[in-house]
Amino acid sequence: AQSVTQLGSHVSVSEGALVLLRCNYSSSVPPYLFWYVQYPNQGLQLLLKYTTGATLVKGINGFEAEFKKSETSFHLTKPSAHMSDAAEYFCAVLDGGTSYGKLTFGQGTILTVHP
Amino acid sequence: GAVVSQHPSWVICKSGTSVKIECRSLDFQATTMFWYRQFPKQSLMLMATSNEGSKATYEQGVEKDKFLINHASLTLSTLTVTSAHPEDSSFYICSARDFGSYEQYFGPGTRLTVT
């Protein structure tokens, strides 16, 4: 079974500082990996995804993530945090094989941005 | 493109009553829809997967007689919570996927409160 671990349920940064949200996964097949953002009482918005090809993927709002197979990681970064980045972030892996299409989510990381 | 809507966005009902939540794909045909529930400060948990015209596949531990899912058309799936109880209070999110696509598009969620 696939699994996703997000290290740190809460991350706090100052406005303008680097944002680093960690995600590690386990998968028996080449994974498709996703980062989503959720604002309070809203659904999920896709930030970025990795399927194949270039391991550094860029997403919306200045976020990017790097797929590192050797470390089974897909950490999310943003060089300079903005107040509007405060939200909850979920890393997810897409199952392959017979359960194609099922997303497995990490526990989520709440990002707080201080002025 | 790829917009998914949910209705209602929030609902309050009395214990013992049934509540129906609609999930619609507005600009694509959703051959597969997924239903998730999310408790406060927790991640999304997949409840069931439904394919148009077929019976839904429920995840382990989800009561199929309590959470009735119907996916009668390529743009509409419904989740009916039957004989709701306070412990069913949660945030319910649907997602939809087009045939041959791996990517899921999420609805804005429905907040259910059972009193």
Side-chain angles (χ1 to χ4, degrees):
Chain A
Q2 318 246 4
S3 68
V4 179
T5 301
Q6 291 181 237
L7 296 175
S9 58
H10 289 81
V11 170
S12 180
V13 301
S14 299
E15 191 173 21
L18 171 72
V19 175
L20 171 60
L21 305 183
R22 299 178 187 273
C23 172
N24 289 88
Y25 69 91
S26 69
S27 174
S28 58
V29 298
Y32 283 13
L33 296 160
F34 304 82
W35 274 101
Y36 292 91
V37 60
Q38 184 181 35
Y39 296 97
N41 293 309
Q42 294 187 28
L44 272 66
Q45 180 182 9
L46 180 66
L47 278 177
L48 48 79
K49 61 187 176 188
Y50 169 79
T51 54
T52 58
T55 57
L56 180 63
V57 292
K58 296 184 184 298
I60 61 172
N61 301 339
F63 284 94
E64 61 183 38
E66 186 171 10
F67 168 61
K68 292 187 176 181
K69 184 178 178 181
S70 61
E71 298 178 7
T72 61
S73 69
F74 190 56
H75 301 332
L76 180 71
T77 61
K78 181 173 180 177
S80 177
H82 191 273
M83 297 295 290
S84 61
D85 295 327
E88 187 160 19
Y89 293 79
F90 292 95
C91 181
V93 61
L94 185 68
D95 288 359
T98 58
S99 57
Y100 179 74
K102 290 171 61 174
L103 283 169
T104 300
F105 288 90
Q107 305 92 318
T109 298
I110 295 173
L111 175 66
T112 303
V113 183
H114 296 289
Chain B
V3 178
V4 176
S5 69
Q6 281 186 242
H7 178 80
S9 55
W10 59 271
V11 58
I12 301 173
C13 70
K14 292 189 175 182
S15 186
T17 62
S18 295
V19 174
K20 180 183 287 187
I21 302 170
E22 293 185 348
C23 177
R24 293 182 184 272
S25 58
L26 300 185
D27 50 6
F28 67 101
Q29 293 186 328
T31 52
T32 303
M33 287 186 167
F34 303 85
W35 286 95
Y36 299 85
R37 68 186 297 181
Q38 185 180 29
F39 290 108
K41 301 189 186 303
Q42 293 189 28
S43 188
L44 281 74
M45 297 298 295
L46 180 64
M47 299 174 66
T49 303
S50 71
N51 292 295
E52 185 266 336
S54 303
K55 288 185 177 181
T57 301
Y58 291 82
E59 295 298 302
Q60 190 172 7
V62 177
E63 300 176 62
K64 59 181 66 175
D65 294 332
K66 181 168 190 59
F67 299 100
L68 301 179
I69 293 172
N70 183 279
H71 191 168
S73 80
L74 285 172
T75 60
L76 173 65
S77 176
T78 60
L79 167 67
T80 301
V81 183
T82 62
S83 186
H85 288 92
E87 57 265 31
D88 299 323
S89 298
S90 188
F91 194 54
Y92 292 87
I93 303 175
C94 73
S95 70
R97 182 175 59 123
D98 198 356
F99 179 77
S101 171
Y102 62 84
E103 190 159 349
Q104 295 181 29
Y105 301 96
F106 287 83
T110 297
R111 172 75 59 193
L112 170 64
T113 301
V114 184
T115 61

